[in-house]
Amino acid sequence: MRFDVVTLFPDFVRQCAAVGVVGRAQQRELLQVETWNPRDYATDNYRTVDGRTCGGGPGMVMLIDPLRAALKAMREAAAEPVHVIYLSPQGARLTQGRVEALAKLPRIGLLCGRYEGVDERLLAHEVDEELSIGDYVLSGGELGAAVIIDAVGRLQEGALNDAQSAQQDSFSDGLLDCPHYAKPVRHALGDVPEVLLSGDHAAIRRWRLKQALGRTWLRRPDLLVQRALDKESRALLEEFRREYAQSERERLANDAAEQ
Ligand code: 4GX
């Protein structure tokens, strides 16, 4: 798959995509990242890409024409239609479900705004989808674009090895991930849970599922509301809650005894 990023900071986006799993996917030609700088498409001597906000007030808006010319060049360099995404806090929240759907597209354009944003008329005519990476304000869309390239890029066939398999990701089944441990088994900071050393693969699978369910219940209950649990999961979550309630009672009793 190919990403085409329209940005005033092409080096930054390229460097974000050059490391780790996604950098390797580019080397293996599973993934291509190209950049288009609107400044290269400005026609005046100053290479102007921004203008004063109509209606007054502080701040600048990215001009239609340099962006439109950059997008035109980008689309003309494509055999297939390009699905163009604009990154902004006004967009729909990016989720793993959306990431998985985007991973099936052959070509994605990412439009990165700076200043107060992009002229609304350009967005209306050129953008297929507006996405937000979270409820906070960045100084530009580039980090959002890098997030999409990373999350989508790592799902390309062959990008992950077996050990990194996306099947085991948190969210791949709508739950948070279970805890992970490595040797040493005994350590001053604590011991590895006994079941993980038992070699009983069925018991280990159940323990991991129970931890994933329990942590999701504790930390992101909103994720459980959206999801119907099967019979085994309901039983494991019930077990987790009982154990959790018991450990809370013990903790409170200990605190009281120390008073
Ligand atoms: N998830 N930003 C876009 C420019 C802007 C300003 C005002 C529209 C209106 C962001 C996010 C994000 C900062 C990118 C503002 N666009 N992008 N930029 N949150 O905060 O994706």
Side-chain angles (χ1 to χ4, degrees):
M1 102 172 302
R2 173 168 163 163
F3 286 103
D4 288 282
V5 189
V6 176
T7 172
L8 291 169
F9 299 97
D11 296 342
F12 175 61
V13 173
R14 284 175 184 277
Q15 284 179 33
C16 285
V19 300
V21 165
V22 169
R24 235 164 6 250
Q26 280 192 81
Q27 286 170 1
R28 293 188 203 142
E29 296 181 358
L30 307 171
L31 197 71
Q32 199 182 340
V33 178
E34 298 299 334
T35 52
W36 306 84
N37 191 340
R39 206 170 289 285
D40 297 336
Y41 298 87
T43 50
D44 66 324
N45 286 334
Y46 302 103
R47 305 217 291 165
T48 309
V49 293
D50 60 332
R52 312 293 289 266
T53 326
C54 290
M60 304 294 272
V61 173
M62 287 182 85
L63 299 175
I64 294 177
D65 285 334
L67 283 175
R68 196 148 86 117
L71 284 162
K72 184 167 184 273
M74 181 261 270
R75 290 189 203 275
E76 282 172 1
E80 319 93 321
V82 183
H83 181 78
V84 176
I85 298 172
Y86 177 58
L87 282 307
S88 104
Q90 282 73 46
R93 277 289 289 277
L94 182 68
T95 61
Q96 188 62 21
R98 192 68 201 119
V99 165
E100 284 163 17
L102 292 174
K104 298 188 175 110
L105 298 176
R107 233 172 132 148
I108 294 176
L110 297 166
L111 176 55
C112 304
R114 284 269 154 178
Y115 317 112
E116 302 327 300
V118 171
D119 191 304
E120 191 63 27
R121 293 166 293 179
L122 179 108
L123 299 180
H125 278 88
E126 299 273 4
V127 170
D128 299 300
E129 181 177 21
E130 196 164 335
L131 288 176
S132 166
I133 62 161
D135 293 338
Y136 38 76
V137 181
L138 303 167
S139 56
E142 284 76 10
L143 283 171
V147 164
I148 292 183
I149 293 169
D150 191 275
V152 170
R154 67 188 284 283
L155 294 184
Q156 296 308 299
E157 185 76 52
L160 298 176
N161 60 36
D162 285 344
Q164 301 164 327
S165 163
Q167 297 242 298
Q168 296 179 30
D169 283 345
S170 87
F171 291 119
S172 75
D173 53 4
L175 298 175
L176 301 186
D177 210 355
C178 63
H180 300 281
Y181 301 87
K183 284 180 181 170
V185 166
R186 313 252 170 256
H187 190 279
L189 298 189
D191 299 341
V192 173
E194 214 56 56
V195 59
L196 298 178
L197 312 170
S198 67
D200 181 344
H201 296 295
I204 291 171
R205 188 195 67 80
R206 272 196 308 278
W207 181 86
R208 287 183 170 152
L209 178 56
K210 181 166 130 186
Q211 297 303 315
L213 287 158
R215 290 175 135 198
T216 308
W217 171 67
L218 285 172
R219 300 180 191 192
R220 291 293 306 277
D222 56 305
L223 295 176
L224 286 181
V225 175
Q226 299 162 20
R227 189 174 174 284
L229 297 182
D230 61 22
K231 204 171 160 209
E232 181 193 30
S233 293
R234 284 199 304 272
L236 287 171
L237 180 55
E238 197 43 54
E239 226 175 87
F240 183 96
R241 280 171 161 151
R242 229 181 303 118
E243 288 167 12
Y244 180 76
Q246 181 57 32
S247 66
E248 278 296 278
R249 276 191 294 276
E250 283 166 11
R251 194 177 60 77
L252 287 169
N254 270 329
D255 286 358
E258 277 170 32
Q259 286 277 312

